[in-house]
Amino acid sequence: MTKALIGKLHEVVPGELADEYLAMAYTIELSLISAGAVPGKDYTVLDLYKLAQPFALELFRDDSKQMRYQFPVE
């Protein structure tokens, strides 16, 4: 598998904005890699965070919404 720009962490805290935002960016990156995108060439870390922003905002606007995404934990 292609080396992702967002690495896995030792620990994340569900419900913490920074960790939730990171998890959404990580999930988007996995999708891009699966589609054939090349990290660093087709997208940057900032691109991933920009793509994740609407999802993170929606989650914190209405925490009753059920979104499924992966946490980057080893």
Side-chain angles (χ1 to χ4, degrees):
M1 181 174 167
T2 303
K3 180 156 173 47
L5 296 177
I6 298 177
K8 293 192 175 195
L9 303 175
H10 295 291
E11 180 181 338
V12 295
V13 179
E16 291 290 327
L17 177 60
D19 290 349
E20 295 284 351
Y21 202 4
L22 175 69
M24 289 175 191
Y26 175 77
T27 301
I28 289 168
E29 182 171 30
L30 293 179
S31 177
L32 288 171
I33 291 171
S34 293
V38 177
K41 178 182 175 199
D42 295 319
Y43 63 90
T44 66
V45 172
L46 185 56
D47 293 330
L48 295 171
Y49 272 83
K50 286 178 180 178
L51 290 167
Q53 183 180 23
F55 297 103
L57 288 173
E58 189 61 28
L59 180 67
F60 283 93
R61 187 174 293 131
D62 182 358
D63 65 357
S64 70
K65 299 213 175 182
Q66 298 296 313
M67 284 191 255
R68 293 168 60 142
Y69 45 92
Q70 295 184 27
F71 278 89
V73 179
E74 293 181 337

